[in-house]
Amino acid sequence: MKSIHVFFEGLRQATKRPKLVLVLYLVPLVGALALSLLAWASLAPALDHSLFAQEVLAGRWFGVWQDFAKSPENHLSLVIGPGLALAFFATVILQVLLSAGVITSLFGDRAARGGDFFTGIRHFAWPFFRSFLWFFIGFALAAGACGVVMQRFFKLAENQADARWDVVGVLVGSLLFALLYVPLRGAYELSRMAVVRHGDRKTLRGFFRALGSVLRHPLLFFPLYAAFFVTVLALHGAFGLVRSEFTVSNWLGIFAVTLAHQLVMAVRAFLQLGFMAANKEAYLLLGEAGYCQPKTQPQQAVAEPSPVEDVFA
């Protein structure tokens, strides 16, 4: 199948670009470090050489956290609330910005403005932000539609006192979301590829034209996206299973768990780059269409000079 070839080709290209993997790895790390510093500033007075710290490290953390949550020293609500939202927003902005350089580097000399990472950011950041806006609007509408469907099933389960309808609602909502998400994400990725390849900037037009291409080639995009989703899910699932077998009881254990988690994030950054490269290969496979090109204006007919005009010219 073409989707399998595209999947492995994307991973193969990711193995050749460790610098780009590093860039994608650092993007979520920046936000996580900012949140960690804020949380540490809130927890440091209570953690520093105290019985509270000893109880947390011993694994008896639930009751301790309950007591700390009620104490006047607890300022984590600011970190977990506005701080988390701000970190998420900054991470998304940074991802969209850097993806312009990453995709330009993947195209290399075939990019419209050259294959330099910073050149791609300078020329394509704004069209990428506009493409993300169209994708986000579609994503929000799809999520809202799925939420409405699931709520109907939950209401049915409540009226009939049958929890099985809750399960059905989750399954139907998840399936509907996947059916809507894959075309939207594919259109988003293909339109960004077209921006880099041809240098055009009609992103809304490009999004809808790319959406048509995705819908015409479902056997390429649905298995491809499912393969990446299952791979990422298996990665985090394996880490969760291994992590659940150990109880962290000292600082060495905390360091080991942190290191293992960062290794998982590095592998996920590699898969993210592979996903971008796979979408580039899918775009090339579909003929490198100029989705974001403006409508061509009809050329006006030029009147041929008459023989009399030729004589007196």
Side-chain angles (χ1 to χ4, degrees), residues 44-98:
L47 280 174
D48 190 22
H49 301 95
S50 65
L51 181 62
F52 172 78
Q54 296 176 11
E55 292 293 310
V56 171
L57 290 178
R60 296 182 292 271
W61 54 270
F62 183 72
V64 177
W65 278 115
Q66 280 187 319
D67 293 339
F68 178 73
K70 300 175 183 179
S71 69
E73 296 182 1
N74 178 22
H75 305 290
L76 284 178
S77 58
L78 294 176
V79 179
I80 298 177
L84 184 61
L86 181 60
F88 176 78
F89 178 76
T91 300
V92 170
I93 295 297
L94 195 58
Q95 282 184 337
V96 175
L97 179 66
L98 295 180

Side-chain angles (χ1 to χ4, degrees), residues 199-231:
D200 302 310
R201 295 173 177 267
K202 298 294 182 179
T203 54
L204 181 58
R205 171 179 168 83
F207 183 84
F208 283 108
R209 294 183 66 189
L211 181 61
S213 292
V214 175
L215 294 176
R216 288 192 297 269
H217 299 86
L219 295 181
L220 173 60
F221 288 93
F222 277 92
L224 176 64
Y225 283 30
F228 277 103
F229 175 76
V230 171
T231 304

Side-chain angles (χ1 to χ4, degrees), residues 18-134:
K19 293 181 180 180
L20 296 182
V21 174
L22 179 61
V23 169
L24 296 176
Y25 165 76
L26 292 176
V27 170
L29 184 62
V30 171
L33 287 176
L35 280 178
S36 298
L37 291 175
L38 291 175
W40 179 259
S42 177
L43 293 174
L47 280 174
D48 190 22
H49 301 95
S50 65
L51 181 62
F52 172 78
Q54 296 176 11
E55 292 293 310
V56 171
L57 290 178
R60 296 182 292 271
W61 54 270
F62 183 72
V64 177
W65 278 115
Q66 280 187 319
D67 293 339
F68 178 73
K70 300 175 183 179
S71 69
E73 296 182 1
N74 178 22
H75 305 290
L76 284 178
S77 58
L78 294 176
V79 179
I80 298 177
L84 184 61
L86 181 60
F88 176 78
F89 178 76
T91 300
V92 170
I93 295 297
L94 195 58
Q95 282 184 337
V96 175
L97 179 66
L98 295 180
S99 64
V102 171
I103 294 177
T104 302
S105 299
L106 288 174
F107 271 97
D109 294 337
R110 304 183 70 175
R113 300 285 185 174
D116 181 71
F117 179 84
F118 295 101
T119 300
I121 294 177
R122 186 166 62 253
H123 287 284
F124 303 127
W126 179 237
F128 271 42
F129 279 115
R130 295 205 312 270
S131 295
F132 176 76
L133 176 62
W134 315 136

Side-chain angles (χ1 to χ4, degrees), residues 148-183:
V148 170
V149 171
M150 293 173 67
Q151 285 295 330
R152 295 294 178 87
F153 279 98
F154 295 161
K155 190 67 175 178
L156 182 62
E158 181 181 351
N159 293 335
Q160 298 190 4
D162 190 349
R164 290 177 295 181
W165 287 112
D166 289 332
V167 178
V168 174
V170 172
L171 293 176
V172 172
S174 301
L175 179 60
L176 178 61
F177 181 76
L179 292 176
L180 295 175
Y181 176 80
V182 171

